[in-house]
Each structure stands twice: as structure tokens, then as C-alpha cells.
Amino acid sequence: MFSAAHRTSAWPRTVFAVLLGWVLGAAWQLQQAALWPLWIYMLFVLLATVVYAQAAPENIAKMVRHSASAGVAAVLVLLAGMALGWGSTGVRAVLFASTALAPALEGRDLRVTGVVEGLPQSTEAGLRFTLRVEQALLDGQAVAVPTRMAVAWYASGYALLGEQTGLQRVPAPLQAGERWQLTLRARAPHGSMNPHGFDYELWLWEQGLQASAYVRAGPKDPEPQRLGQTWQAPVALARQALRDRMLASVQDRRAAGLLAALVVGDQAAVERSDWDVFRATGVAHLISISGLHITMFAWGAALLTGAVWRRSRRLCLALPAPSAALLGGLLLACGYAVLAGWGVPAQRTCLMLATITVLRLAGARWPWPLVWMLACAAVVALDPWALLQPGFWLSFVAVGVLFATDSGAARAYSTGVRGRFGLKLWHLLREQWVITLALAPLSLLLFGQLSIVGLVANLLAIPWVTLLLTPLALLGVVVPVVWGLAAQATDLLWWWLSALATWPGATLTWPLPPLGWGLLAVGGGLLCVLPVPWHLRALGLPLLLPLLLWRPALPAPGAFELLAADVGQGNAVLVRTARHALLFDAGPRYSLESDAGHRVLVPLLKALDVTLDTVVLSHRDTDHVGGAAAVLAMQPQAALLSSIEPGHPLQQLRPAQRCEAGQRWVWDGVPFEVLHPQVADYAQPAKPNALSCVLRIGTGAHSALLVGDIEAAQEARLVQAWQGTDHLRAAVLLVPHHGSKTSSTPEFLQAVQPQWALVQAGYRNRFGHPAPPVLARYAEARTHLVSSPRCGAMRWRSAQPQNVACTREDERRYWHHLVP
């Protein structure tokens, strides 16, 4: 692992053990479900400091060189590093958690004075921005709130954060650095919790946001007041001005959005459909100002700086060109990162580049594993939660692979590639191939998706974006007319990527494996590209098999399982038997640009490797069909069963068969039966809720009843229709109408006699679901009621009817919100 010059020295191994221990300790702390008292973490930091202070480096070195005690010394240093990493991360977490929003302040109107940070984002619903709070008042009294809040200012008619907005004043145009006095209604950070889903609460934690809020600007609320412009956010103000100029100058919306993302880091300017193409072709890392993007920019800037520097003899005498190239690449990359918003990934990358640059300039000839580990430990010290981000692993694994396989020049000449251009082209092809192969198992582990055309796409996209498009976009800041050329370059790139994205099999999707199998495959992929003999590389191929052969466990024949997804205020239940799957409702639509299908259900179905046979949409309400279009597009083979009217827009995507009482089918020994509505119900005027499809699954004590939004009248009809039988009896009941007081009558609960009742509702939803009287009825019926705000996604298996598994409990970490 280490070079020959260091094999006889102990210090590289000692330092490597310290850094590795730090990273492992931080990773260990991130697995905690709840934080411990502050003094425990401080004690671990103190113990590690004492160990390092008392154990002189020369003594440790002697122990490492002495074969009898080398293992003891290595373990001692490693454990001390782990204690330091674990304790320091815990201290930071406890201190940050102490600034959380008090539960008593949730839902209260606070008069807040603060300064707008970052780029305000305009959406069809209003504005979103980050507010750095200077003062908060409740009924005229000062109260403590988090110092930074994610704030939304909605227009009239939009529901938000589970609250009812009513009439709202039109959101005012905001500029970064402005000081405002606003009436806010805040709540603790709370997001959906689904298997393999995006951890929104972790993202807020890492962004330093401990509360989200919305502006109360109705006729009866105090008017928002602009108190003036400050200079507390000059970079953000400049970025906003650049973005607005760019969007106004470039007529092509797609090109303008891409240029805004590249120059000022405004990823929201890129359309969702465009992101789908970028992900399908494996070039999303170039658009999202990720670590790899900034590293590529630094390399390009270093090449340019070195080329310019070598043209001046005086400059070369003052500072060697290689050193100037390193400094120029670092400074330009950091400046670009600041202009692009100085996000957490950019901070990590700049710190890594600075670490490597300092070592090179100092003439430290450290072995590459030590350099790599030092950069990794420095990033973890700055941001321990980076260990949970895919970008961290993709960046560092890619850099490590390039370090470990850096022998391309000799191999190029040995294979007959002559000439400077041929050598560089060989390097480019070889490195891109090595990176693609090495990162393929890691991409499947992290995303369950791999771009088959990524190698071909990146061969053009990397130099095109890094060396042409980004410089043109940045030059347009000074010479705006250049943005027209950049837009044309964007069109050519888009033509190339969209053509690749339409290739059959352009993207490979794979079920997300258990962590152990995934890590084994990642090791196999790395072994395949390391510069070792081919018979050793071949050993990596068997390590890939568990990832390729693994499939999620399915119910046995005759059994089934339910997964009630956490989609907020709406219904979406996945039903699986041994060889079939059904989705009951598709969750809500959150906005014109976002719905439960794209955000929750499509990723969930991909991660679980689910092919739907049938989609049942209980009725037309948007909290039940909002995500249906995305699901149907992903599952073209699925039949549609619903009570939606013939003229509904979804009928254009997939003709729907009406759900009618009496419809029956059997999958893998599990009976399915539609109990409502009757055929005659479609001929009579009725509310959509009254036509909700009711589906019964299974038999006897191992059955489930999914009922949509039926209300008291429909419940009474079902009870009357099956009076004197146990046909309505079910072990688990999807609570009617999310727990509305118009449903869940005592007579209906007496007929069903559920052991479990599942409520799918939004946290602090404006309807007050589930209503207190309904909760009392279920308690009186001795039914265990489980709600998605507290449980996240809920899983129930007919083979284990006594248990309901909660994703929020099974995957709990200390940054997750505990619902009071």
C-alpha cells in the first residue's frame, strides 16, 4: 500500500490509523437512534486527546516498528481516533439539536424579523427562501426559535404545511440580503419516511435548518414589512442578479435553466424532465455542482493557469509553473464554488482540493492512501453527515480509483500509442472506462440505477461542460452576448444526451440490495480495475454475483403483504403476493411540478423491483390520483381499475375499467374482491367519495380492507349488505377518509373488528385528520391505530398479522423528527 521509501517508517501507518479511526468514529456516531448527554461525548473527546498527548509519536512509532507490539499500537491509535471522531460529532449534534423549535411554538403565529439568505426560489405556488432569524415574538414576547428557517410565501388558494392559508396577499419580490418583518407559522422539520426513500429531514439537518415555516399574509394578518436592504448576503445578492439577467437574456428556457445551474448553482431552474435525461445518461453530476464537477473544473483551471504561466519566463522564475497551476486551479475552483452557492458538496470538494494542494506545495511525498485518507478525514471533520450522502462516496471512490490506477502513461506507450495527442486520448478513454466500471456497483447500491450509455455520454459531456459550456457561461457574466453562444452549445449537448437517453436499455434499474451484499459488490468492482495481475482481478467477478442475483423477499403462496407508503395527506398502498402486485391509490399532487408518484412511488417501486399488475384508483380526488400519471408511465403493463369518470384526463393515459361490487380474482391463492360501489351507483349523482372503490383482500383473520374515502352512508350500506356474516371482518383496515369525523362509524367498526387501523394523513394537516372523536372510537373498539406521521411507511404481513412495522421506527436516527 505504501511506497518503498516509507515501508521502513512507522509514521505513515500511524497517521493513516488516526485518520481512519476518525472517519470510522464519525460513521459510528451517525448510526445512533437518539443522542446521548453532552458530557458523554465530551468525555470521549477528552480521553482521545489525553491518549494522543501522553503517547509521544516516537514511542508509538517504536511500537509500530517492533513486530511484537505493532498490532497493539495500531489498535490503540485506531481506537483513539474513533473516540475523537465519535465524540466530536456527537458534541456538534447535541449543540445543534438544542436549537430545535419548541413543540409549543408549532402552529402559533410568530412575528419574526430576519434577513433573506441564498437565492429566493419562485414557483407556481409562490416563493421559497431561507430566513436568518434576528428576532421572534409571540404575543409581543420574545421567544427562542432556530436561527435559520426554510420559509414559503404562498399565493392565495394554496394549501401548505398541512395548514389552511385562505386568502393571501401576493408574495412580494424578494432579494437576498433584505431584512423583513413577517408573520410566520412554523413547524418542526418533517418529511416522508419510506423504504429507500429520500431523507428530507437529514437534508434539512445538514443545511442547518431546524424549522420550516410559511408566511401568514391574509387580510386579518399583520402586513409583511420590508425593513430595508442589508449587505449581509452580498454573494447571494450578486448570484440572484446574475440569475435574473441570465433568465432574461436567454430566450430558450431549457438553455437558460442549465446555464443558471452551471453559473450560480440554481438547480431549481432546470426542469424535472431535463433532470430525468441527465440521470438516464449519467451526467447529472456535471449539472448539480457536485464534487466531481468542481474537481473537473479545478483540473481544467489548473491546465489553463499552467499554460498561461509557462508563457512568461519572469512568472516561472518567481513561481514554478506546476505550483502556479495548483494554486490557480484551487483558487478558481473555490471562487466558482462560492459563485455557485457554496453548498455543502462544494465546501467538501474545496477542502479536499486544498488539502491535496498544500501537501503538493509543501513537497510532502506522502503515499497516495495517506493523501486520500487525509482529504477524506478533513471533509468528515468539517461535515460528518457527508458520510450519508451519495456524492461523498462517488467522489472519493472515484478519486481513490484514479490514484490507485495511475499508470496509464507507461501502458499507453507499451501498447504502441504514440504521440502527445494519442497519449492524452488514451488517458481519457482509459480513465473514463476505469471510473465507469469501478463505480457501477456503487451506483447500483446507492441509486438502484445505472446508465448503460453513461460512458459514451460522459466522453463528450465532461469536456463539453467543463471546458466549453461552463467557461462560456462564466464569460457571459462579463460579456452577456456570449450567453447566446453558450445556449447554442447547450442545444448541441442536449441533442446528444436526448438521443442517447432514447436508446433501448439506456438505463438499467436494479432492486436496492442489503448493505452487506452491496459493499461486497463494490469491493469486487474495485478489484477488477486495480493494477494487479489479471488472475487476481478475476476474483472480483464472483463478488459481483450477490448484487446481480439478489431479489427482495416476497410473500409465500397464499400470503400477502401491505405497504402503506408515507405520502402525506393521501392514500397509496402497495399490495404484493408471491408473483403479483397491486397499487391501491397513488397519493396526492403536491404542486404542478411535484407529486407522490415522482417523489415517492416510482422510486419505491424501482427499489423493491415491483412490476404492477393492477392500479386501483379509488376515486377522482387529487389526494388519491395525484401520482397516478407517473406510476402509469413507469408501469405500462398495469391495468387500471377505478371509479373515475370517462372524461377524466387519466383515461387518456390508460383506459380504466370501472370497479364494481362483485368483481373477484385470485392471485397466488389470495382472493381479491371489490365490495363497493354498486353498478347502479354510477347512474346517480354523487360525491366522488361516495364512489370510492372498496377492496377486500384475503380471508378470515388474515384479511385486509381498503376503503378509500367512503363516508357514513357508504359504511352503513356495506354493513347492511353483509349483515349476519363476517365478510367485512378484517385484521387490518385502511382508515376511511384518513380519519375524518364523517367516517369510521361505530357500526362499521363493529362489523370489521380490525386488529390494526392504518391512517395515511399529513403531519399537522389542515383537516385535523384523524379527528379526536374517530381516535376515541378506535380506542373503544380496542383497535391499534397507527398513523403515517408517527410511523412513516407502514408494513403489514398476513403471515404475521400481529405486527405492523414502522419505517420511522426501524430506520430512526437522532435527526429524525419525533412527533409529540
PDB file of all heavy atoms in Angstrom, residues 23-44:
ATOM      1  N   VAL A  23     -12.675   8.794  10.863  1.00  0.00           N
ATOM      2  CA  VAL A  23     -13.787   8.571   9.940  1.00  0.00           C
ATOM      3  C   VAL A  23     -14.707   7.470  10.457  1.00  0.00           C
ATOM      4  O   VAL A  23     -15.939   7.605  10.426  1.00  0.00           O
ATOM      5  CB  VAL A  23     -13.246   8.228   8.541  1.00  0.00           C
ATOM      6  CG1 VAL A  23     -14.385   7.858   7.599  1.00  0.00           C
ATOM      7  CG2 VAL A  23     -12.448   9.398   7.965  1.00  0.00           C
ATOM      8  N   LEU A  24     -14.136   6.375  10.953  1.00  0.00           N
ATOM      9  CA  LEU A  24     -14.955   5.286  11.477  1.00  0.00           C
ATOM     10  C   LEU A  24     -15.753   5.728  12.698  1.00  0.00           C
ATOM     11  O   LEU A  24     -16.913   5.344  12.872  1.00  0.00           O
ATOM     12  CB  LEU A  24     -14.070   4.089  11.827  1.00  0.00           C
ATOM     13  CG  LEU A  24     -13.412   3.368  10.645  1.00  0.00           C
ATOM     14  CD1 LEU A  24     -12.508   2.247  11.160  1.00  0.00           C
ATOM     15  CD2 LEU A  24     -14.461   2.806   9.704  1.00  0.00           C
ATOM     16  N   GLY A  25     -15.133   6.531  13.554  1.00  0.00           N
ATOM     17  CA  GLY A  25     -15.845   7.021  14.736  1.00  0.00           C
ATOM     18  C   GLY A  25     -17.015   7.902  14.371  1.00  0.00           C
ATOM     19  O   GLY A  25     -18.113   7.788  14.951  1.00  0.00           O
ATOM     20  N   ALA A  26     -16.809   8.802  13.404  1.00  0.00           N
ATOM     21  CA  ALA A  26     -17.918   9.653  12.960  1.00  0.00           C
ATOM     22  C   ALA A  26     -19.028   8.813  12.347  1.00  0.00           C
ATOM     23  O   ALA A  26     -20.220   9.040  12.599  1.00  0.00           O
ATOM     24  CB  ALA A  26     -17.401  10.688  11.958  1.00  0.00           C
ATOM     25  N   ALA A  27     -18.651   7.817  11.529  1.00  0.00           N
ATOM     26  CA  ALA A  27     -19.659   6.950  10.914  1.00  0.00           C
ATOM     27  C   ALA A  27     -20.431   6.174  11.972  1.00  0.00           C
ATOM     28  O   ALA A  27     -21.651   5.964  11.847  1.00  0.00           O
ATOM     29  CB  ALA A  27     -18.982   5.992   9.936  1.00  0.00           C
ATOM     30  N   TRP A  28     -19.759   5.754  13.015  1.00  0.00           N
ATOM     31  CA  TRP A  28     -20.412   5.031  14.105  1.00  0.00           C
ATOM     32  C   TRP A  28     -21.420   5.936  14.805  1.00  0.00           C
ATOM     33  O   TRP A  28     -22.538   5.520  15.119  1.00  0.00           O
ATOM     34  CB  TRP A  28     -19.334   4.537  15.071  1.00  0.00           C
ATOM     35  CG  TRP A  28     -19.858   3.844  16.298  1.00  0.00           C
ATOM     36  CD1 TRP A  28     -20.996   3.107  16.416  1.00  0.00           C
ATOM     37  CD2 TRP A  28     -19.261   3.836  17.599  1.00  0.00           C
ATOM     38  NE1 TRP A  28     -21.148   2.637  17.696  1.00  0.00           N
ATOM     39  CE2 TRP A  28     -20.085   3.065  18.445  1.00  0.00           C
ATOM     40  CE3 TRP A  28     -18.087   4.389  18.114  1.00  0.00           C
ATOM     41  CZ2 TRP A  28     -19.780   2.862  19.788  1.00  0.00           C
ATOM     42  CZ3 TRP A  28     -17.795   4.169  19.449  1.00  0.00           C
ATOM     43  CH2 TRP A  28     -18.635   3.418  20.275  1.00  0.00           C
ATOM     44  N   GLN A  29     -21.059   7.187  15.036  1.00  0.00           N
ATOM     45  CA  GLN A  29     -21.970   8.096  15.733  1.00  0.00           C
ATOM     46  C   GLN A  29     -23.228   8.350  14.912  1.00  0.00           C
ATOM     47  O   GLN A  29     -24.318   8.522  15.460  1.00  0.00           O
ATOM     48  CB  GLN A  29     -21.248   9.414  16.034  1.00  0.00           C
ATOM     49  CG  GLN A  29     -21.947  10.288  17.071  1.00  0.00           C
ATOM     50  CD  GLN A  29     -23.073  11.118  16.483  1.00  0.00           C
ATOM     51  OE1 GLN A  29     -23.075  11.432  15.293  1.00  0.00           O
ATOM     52  NE2 GLN A  29     -24.040  11.472  17.316  1.00  0.00           N
ATOM     53  N   LEU A  30     -23.110   8.348  13.585  1.00  0.00           N
ATOM     54  CA  LEU A  30     -24.266   8.613  12.733  1.00  0.00           C
ATOM     55  C   LEU A  30     -25.295   7.497  12.766  1.00  0.00           C
ATOM     56  O   LEU A  30     -26.400   7.667  12.250  1.00  0.00           O
ATOM     57  CB  LEU A  30     -23.807   8.832  11.287  1.00  0.00           C
ATOM     58  CG  LEU A  30     -22.861  10.012  11.037  1.00  0.00           C
ATOM     59  CD1 LEU A  30     -22.549  10.134   9.561  1.00  0.00           C
ATOM     60  CD2 LEU A  30     -23.449  11.309  11.556  1.00  0.00           C
ATOM     61  N   GLN A  31     -24.950   6.364  13.363  1.00  0.00           N
ATOM     62  CA  GLN A  31     -25.899   5.257  13.456  1.00  0.00           C
ATOM     63  C   GLN A  31     -26.787   5.342  14.693  1.00  0.00           C
ATOM     64  O   GLN A  31     -27.682   4.513  14.868  1.00  0.00           O
ATOM     65  CB  GLN A  31     -25.141   3.923  13.470  1.00  0.00           C
ATOM     66  CG  GLN A  31     -24.215   3.719  12.288  1.00  0.00           C
ATOM     67  CD  GLN A  31     -24.911   3.917  10.967  1.00  0.00           C
ATOM     68  OE1 GLN A  31     -25.954   3.343  10.708  1.00  0.00           O
ATOM     69  NE2 GLN A  31     -24.325   4.758  10.114  1.00  0.00           N
ATOM     70  N   GLN A  32     -26.575   6.327  15.543  1.00  0.00           N
ATOM     71  CA  GLN A  32     -27.346   6.426  16.790  1.00  0.00           C
ATOM     72  C   GLN A  32     -28.795   6.812  16.515  1.00  0.00           C
ATOM     73  O   GLN A  32     -29.075   7.728  15.737  1.00  0.00           O
ATOM     74  CB  GLN A  32     -26.716   7.448  17.738  1.00  0.00           C
ATOM     75  CG  GLN A  32     -25.409   6.982  18.366  1.00  0.00           C
ATOM     76  CD  GLN A  32     -24.988   7.903  19.490  1.00  0.00           C
ATOM     77  OE1 GLN A  32     -24.488   8.986  19.255  1.00  0.00           O
ATOM     78  NE2 GLN A  32     -25.191   7.454  20.712  1.00  0.00           N
ATOM     79  N   ALA A  33     -29.697   6.131  17.170  1.00  0.00           N
ATOM     80  CA  ALA A  33     -31.116   6.464  17.048  1.00  0.00           C
ATOM     81  C   ALA A  33     -31.486   7.679  17.886  1.00  0.00           C
ATOM     82  O   ALA A  33     -32.435   8.399  17.567  1.00  0.00           O
ATOM     83  CB  ALA A  33     -31.978   5.266  17.450  1.00  0.00           C
ATOM     84  N   ALA A  34     -30.753   7.909  18.966  1.00  0.00           N
ATOM     85  CA  ALA A  34     -31.006   9.057  19.841  1.00  0.00           C
ATOM     86  C   ALA A  34     -29.672   9.542  20.387  1.00  0.00           C
ATOM     87  O   ALA A  34     -28.732   8.760  20.564  1.00  0.00           O
ATOM     88  CB  ALA A  34     -31.948   8.682  20.984  1.00  0.00           C
ATOM     89  N   LEU A  35     -29.607  10.837  20.638  1.00  0.00           N
ATOM     90  CA  LEU A  35     -28.375  11.419  21.150  1.00  0.00           C
ATOM     91  C   LEU A  35     -28.220  11.150  22.642  1.00  0.00           C
ATOM     92  O   LEU A  35     -29.201  11.092  23.389  1.00  0.00           O
ATOM     93  CB  LEU A  35     -28.371  12.926  20.897  1.00  0.00           C
ATOM     94  CG  LEU A  35     -28.206  13.370  19.439  1.00  0.00           C
ATOM     95  CD1 LEU A  35     -28.425  14.873  19.313  1.00  0.00           C
ATOM     96  CD2 LEU A  35     -26.841  12.975  18.911  1.00  0.00           C
ATOM     97  N   TRP A  36     -26.988  10.985  23.067  1.00  0.00           N
ATOM     98  CA  TRP A  36     -26.666  10.831  24.476  1.00  0.00           C
ATOM     99  C   TRP A  36     -26.400  12.203  25.088  1.00  0.00           C
ATOM    100  O   TRP A  36     -26.258  13.203  24.375  1.00  0.00           O
ATOM    101  CB  TRP A  36     -25.442   9.927  24.639  1.00  0.00           C
ATOM    102  CG  TRP A  36     -25.701   8.498  24.240  1.00  0.00           C
ATOM    103  CD1 TRP A  36     -26.888   7.961  23.832  1.00  0.00           C
ATOM    104  CD2 TRP A  36     -24.757   7.434  24.200  1.00  0.00           C
ATOM    105  NE1 TRP A  36     -26.745   6.635  23.543  1.00  0.00           N
ATOM    106  CE2 TRP A  36     -25.446   6.276  23.762  1.00  0.00           C
ATOM    107  CE3 TRP A  36     -23.392   7.336  24.487  1.00  0.00           C
ATOM    108  CZ2 TRP A  36     -24.823   5.049  23.614  1.00  0.00           C
ATOM    109  CZ3 TRP A  36     -22.761   6.105  24.340  1.00  0.00           C
ATOM    110  CH2 TRP A  36     -23.465   4.982  23.915  1.00  0.00           C
ATOM    111  N   PRO A  37     -26.293  12.273  26.413  1.00  0.00           N
ATOM    112  CA  PRO A  37     -25.979  13.565  27.041  1.00  0.00           C
ATOM    113  C   PRO A  37     -24.640  14.119  26.549  1.00  0.00           C
ATOM    114  O   PRO A  37     -23.725  13.378  26.190  1.00  0.00           O
ATOM    115  CB  PRO A  37     -25.926  13.220  28.541  1.00  0.00           C
ATOM    116  CG  PRO A  37     -26.782  12.006  28.679  1.00  0.00           C
ATOM    117  CD  PRO A  37     -26.595  11.234  27.405  1.00  0.00           C
ATOM    118  N   LEU A  38     -24.530  15.418  26.554  1.00  0.00           N
ATOM    119  CA  LEU A  38     -23.346  16.090  26.022  1.00  0.00           C
ATOM    120  C   LEU A  38     -22.069  15.650  26.724  1.00  0.00           C
ATOM    121  O   LEU A  38     -21.017  15.483  26.080  1.00  0.00           O
ATOM    122  CB  LEU A  38     -23.531  17.609  26.148  1.00  0.00           C
ATOM    123  CG  LEU A  38     -22.379  18.484  25.649  1.00  0.00           C
ATOM    124  CD1 LEU A  38     -22.158  18.298  24.155  1.00  0.00           C
ATOM    125  CD2 LEU A  38     -22.652  19.956  25.970  1.00  0.00           C
ATOM    126  N   TRP A  39     -22.136  15.432  28.018  1.00  0.00           N
ATOM    127  CA  TRP A  39     -20.913  15.149  28.773  1.00  0.00           C
ATOM    128  C   TRP A  39     -20.274  13.819  28.345  1.00  0.00           C
ATOM    129  O   TRP A  39     -19.053  13.660  28.432  1.00  0.00           O
ATOM    130  CB  TRP A  39     -21.193  15.148  30.274  1.00  0.00           C
ATOM    131  CG  TRP A  39     -22.083  14.029  30.757  1.00  0.00           C
ATOM    132  CD1 TRP A  39     -23.437  14.063  30.899  1.00  0.00           C
ATOM    133  CD2 TRP A  39     -21.666  12.727  31.166  1.00  0.00           C
ATOM    134  NE1 TRP A  39     -23.910  12.867  31.369  1.00  0.00           N
ATOM    135  CE2 TRP A  39     -22.839  12.019  31.548  1.00  0.00           C
ATOM    136  CE3 TRP A  39     -20.449  12.079  31.258  1.00  0.00           C
ATOM    137  CZ2 TRP A  39     -22.805  10.710  32.006  1.00  0.00           C
ATOM    138  CZ3 TRP A  39     -20.401  10.774  31.719  1.00  0.00           C
ATOM    139  CH2 TRP A  39     -21.571  10.102  32.083  1.00  0.00           C
ATOM    140  N   ILE A  40     -21.070  12.896  27.857  1.00  0.00           N
ATOM    141  CA  ILE A  40     -20.503  11.615  27.413  1.00  0.00           C
ATOM    142  C   ILE A  40     -19.638  11.824  26.186  1.00  0.00           C
ATOM    143  O   ILE A  40     -18.521  11.301  26.089  1.00  0.00           O
ATOM    144  CB  ILE A  40     -21.633  10.607  27.137  1.00  0.00           C
ATOM    145  CG1 ILE A  40     -22.412  10.291  28.430  1.00  0.00           C
ATOM    146  CG2 ILE A  40     -21.056   9.318  26.530  1.00  0.00           C
ATOM    147  CD1 ILE A  40     -23.546   9.311  28.238  1.00  0.00           C
ATOM    148  N   TYR A  41     -20.137  12.591  25.228  1.00  0.00           N
ATOM    149  CA  TYR A  41     -19.341  12.861  24.030  1.00  0.00           C
ATOM    150  C   TYR A  41     -18.078  13.641  24.373  1.00  0.00           C
ATOM    151  O   TYR A  41     -16.992  13.358  23.840  1.00  0.00           O
ATOM    152  CB  TYR A  41     -20.177  13.643  23.009  1.00  0.00           C
ATOM    153  CG  TYR A  41     -21.394  12.902  22.519  1.00  0.00           C
ATOM    154  CD1 TYR A  41     -22.678  13.282  22.894  1.00  0.00           C
ATOM    155  CD2 TYR A  41     -21.264  11.802  21.672  1.00  0.00           C
ATOM    156  CE1 TYR A  41     -23.798  12.609  22.437  1.00  0.00           C
ATOM    157  CE2 TYR A  41     -22.375  11.117  21.211  1.00  0.00           C
ATOM    158  CZ  TYR A  41     -23.641  11.521  21.597  1.00  0.00           C
ATOM    159  OH  TYR A  41     -24.751  10.844  21.151  1.00  0.00           O
ATOM    160  N   MET A  42     -18.209  14.613  25.281  1.00  0.00           N
ATOM    161  CA  MET A  42     -17.037  15.402  25.668  1.00  0.00           C
ATOM    162  C   MET A  42     -16.009  14.540  26.388  1.00  0.00           C
ATOM    163  O   MET A  42     -14.791  14.747  26.240  1.00  0.00           O
ATOM    164  CB  MET A  42     -17.475  16.572  26.545  1.00  0.00           C
ATOM    165  CG  MET A  42     -18.382  17.570  25.829  1.00  0.00           C
ATOM    166  SD  MET A  42     -18.844  18.990  26.855  1.00  0.00           S
ATOM    167  CE  MET A  42     -17.258  19.797  27.009  1.00  0.00           C
ATOM    168  N   LEU A  43     -16.479  13.566  27.119  1.00  0.00           N
ATOM    169  CA  LEU A  43     -15.558  12.665  27.802  1.00  0.00           C
ATOM    170  C   LEU A  43     -14.748  11.849  26.801  1.00  0.00           C
ATOM    171  O   LEU A  43     -13.537  11.658  26.974  1.00  0.00           O
ATOM    172  CB  LEU A  43     -16.342  11.733  28.736  1.00  0.00           C
ATOM    173  CG  LEU A  43     -15.514  10.701  29.513  1.00  0.00           C
ATOM    174  CD1 LEU A  43     -14.512  11.395  30.432  1.00  0.00           C
ATOM    175  CD2 LEU A  43     -16.425   9.789  30.332  1.00  0.00           C
ATOM    176  N   PHE A  44     -15.383  11.384  25.752  1.00  0.00           N
ATOM    177  CA  PHE A  44     -14.660  10.628  24.726  1.00  0.00           C
ATOM    178  C   PHE A  44     -13.621  11.508  24.024  1.00  0.00           C
ATOM    179  O   PHE A  44     -12.515  11.053  23.721  1.00  0.00           O
ATOM    180  CB  PHE A  44     -15.644  10.059  23.701  1.00  0.00           C
ATOM    181  CG  PHE A  44     -16.186   8.705  24.083  1.00  0.00           C
ATOM    182  CD1 PHE A  44     -17.194   8.575  25.029  1.00  0.00           C
ATOM    183  CD2 PHE A  44     -15.687   7.558  23.489  1.00  0.00           C
ATOM    184  CE1 PHE A  44     -17.694   7.334  25.374  1.00  0.00           C
ATOM    185  CE2 PHE A  44     -16.178   6.309  23.826  1.00  0.00           C
ATOM    186  CZ  PHE A  44     -17.178   6.193  24.776  1.00  0.00           C
TER     187      PHE A  44
END
